[in-house]
Structure formats: C-alpha cells, structure tokens
C-alpha cells in the first residue's frame, strides 16, 4: 500500500475544513500542509512538492477547476482529489477528464476521505512504477538492438573476410562492398 509518509496539500478557502482534514489525515500518518487559495497552493507546491492535493472546487479568486489543469501540467506526478459541496456531475466529470483521481462531497465522511486518499496514492504509486518499468524496458530493448546490430555487422564482416581469404584476386573488394 502507500508509505504513509506521503505529503498532502489541503487547498480550501474554509479554515475549519482544512483543519478537519489535516487532523484526520495526520492521525493516519500523512504529512499535511494547508493552503487557503489557489495562489497559496501554487506557492506551497513550488517550495514543498507533495504526492497528493485535496482541492476545493469553489474558492474565491481562482477556482479549483482552473487550478487543476495547472497542477497537472506543472506537477504531473501529483495526484489530485477534488472536493465540492456541489453535486454537479458535469463539473465532476470534467475534473476527472482533466486528471483528478477522485472527488469528495461535502460534508465529508472522514472514513471515505481516508479511503479516497489511500486509493489515489496507491494509483499514483502504480503509475510511477509502471512508467519506470516502461523506461527500463525501453532501455533494455535499445541495448539489445545495439548488440544485435553489432553482431549482424560482425557476421557480415566475417563472411567478407572468408570470401577474400578464398580468392586473393578479389582482395579488398568484398570489404568495400
């Protein structure tokens, strides 16, 4: 499962909501940071990258729906869970299309919050493992292809040398070809 040392940024304009989530998630072993606005969240992410952001949709200034794509572009390895008091399915669907891992509805069921956080972090971990495995696999395939090319060239060279050893008259011709 997740490493429980994961860092979570809670972004909500309501201080009481941030504290509630921080207390619950801290008691589960997560390291929590808070931000009261989109600008504070970006500043916090710049100075202290996190594994997960819990992002309120409706905030004064920049909305969570506007901040989500920015987070996904700047910090693609950061999981995001959207939080909302509004059950507008089109907004939720749009957030999921833009890369949110899950959404939570207010008022929070704290057990559901913990479960959602655990799932999002596990999915993030698996995605990173998969990406690393893919990268390593591509490197091994490239290395193997280099060895095969070298082996093929070596075989052609041996054939050319064998041909020339058989007939002195064509010496150097096979090698040039």
């Amino acid at each position: 499962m997740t490493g429980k040392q994961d860092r979570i940024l809670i972004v909500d304009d309501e201080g009481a909501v941030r504290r509630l989530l921080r207390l619950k998630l801290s008691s589960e072993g997560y390291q929590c940071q808070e931000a009261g606005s989109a600008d504070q969240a970006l500043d916090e992410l710049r100075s202290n990258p996190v594994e997960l952001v819990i992002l309120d949709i409706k905030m004064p200034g920049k909305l969570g729906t506007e901040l989500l794509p920015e987070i996904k572009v700047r910090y693609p390895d950061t999981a995001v869970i959207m939080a909302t008091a509004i059950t507008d399915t089109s907004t939720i669907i749009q957030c999921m299309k833009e890369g949110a891992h899950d959404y939570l509805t207010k008022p929070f069921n704290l057990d559901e919050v913990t479960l959602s956080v655990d799932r999002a972090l596990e999915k993030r971990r698996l995605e990173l493992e998969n990406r690393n495995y893919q990268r390593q696999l591509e490197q091994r395939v490239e290395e193997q292809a280099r060895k095969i090319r070298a082996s093929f060239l070596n075989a052609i060279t041996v054939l050319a040398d064998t041909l020339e050893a058989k007939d002195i008259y064509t010496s150097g011709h096979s090698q040039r070809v």
Side-chain angles (χ1 to χ4, degrees):
M1 200 100 195
T2 57
K4 293 290 186 182
Q5 288 301 313
D6 293 317
R7 296 174 313 261
I8 299 173
L9 176 61
I10 302 163
V11 184
D12 198 303
D13 57 318
E14 298 176 50
V17 171
R18 290 194 312 268
R19 278 189 297 283
L20 174 71
L21 290 174
R22 180 177 43 82
L23 289 172
K24 175 60 177 171
L25 294 171
S26 294
S27 74
E28 295 291 327
Y30 294 109
Q31 298 175 18
C32 297
Q33 302 158 231
E34 296 180 31
S37 69
D39 291 334
Q40 286 178 0
L42 289 173
D43 290 342
E44 192 66 38
L45 286 169
R46 237 179 265 112
S47 59
N48 300 311
V50 297
E51 284 76 26
L52 174 76
V53 175
I54 297 177
L55 180 59
D56 186 21
I57 290 180
K58 295 284 186 185
M59 294 186 295
K62 187 183 279 190
L63 297 173
T65 53
E66 297 169 332
L67 182 58
L68 172 62
E70 200 170 334
I71 290 173
K72 294 312 288 180
V73 167
R74 290 185 185 183
Y75 310 97
D77 294 337
T78 300
V80 179
I81 296 175
M82 302 305 288
T84 181
I86 302 164
T87 55
D88 176 21
T89 54
S90 64
T91 302
I92 293 168
I93 290 169
Q94 186 59 36
C95 289
M96 300 299 275
K97 283 181 179 178
E98 290 180 6
H101 282 74
D102 202 356
Y103 70 93
L104 299 166
T105 54
K106 296 177 184 178
F108 298 120
N109 174 331
L110 294 179
D111 291 331
E112 287 178 11
V113 170
T114 303
L115 185 62
S116 179
V117 166
D118 289 343
R119 275 194 319 246
L121 288 171
E122 179 66 10
K123 182 179 178 189
R124 175 189 176 273
R125 183 188 65 76
L126 291 171
E127 287 170 349
L128 292 175
E129 279 181 12
N130 189 29
R131 188 178 321 137
N132 288 336
Y133 177 76
Q134 185 72 28
R135 196 174 300 129
Q136 289 173 354
L137 186 61
E138 287 171 1
Q139 289 172 350
R140 283 190 288 203
V141 166
E142 188 177 313
E143 181 181 319
Q144 199 64 24
R146 253 194 313 265
K147 287 179 182 178
I148 289 170
R149 276 190 223 101
S151 181
F152 179 73
L153 183 59
N154 189 30
I156 296 296
T157 303
V158 168
L159 285 173
D161 290 345
T162 303
L163 249 173
E164 288 184 7
K166 192 123 171 107
D167 190 357
I168 296 292
Y169 177 72
T170 60
S171 180
H173 176 75
S174 296
Q175 196 65 282
R176 287 189 301 273
V177 170

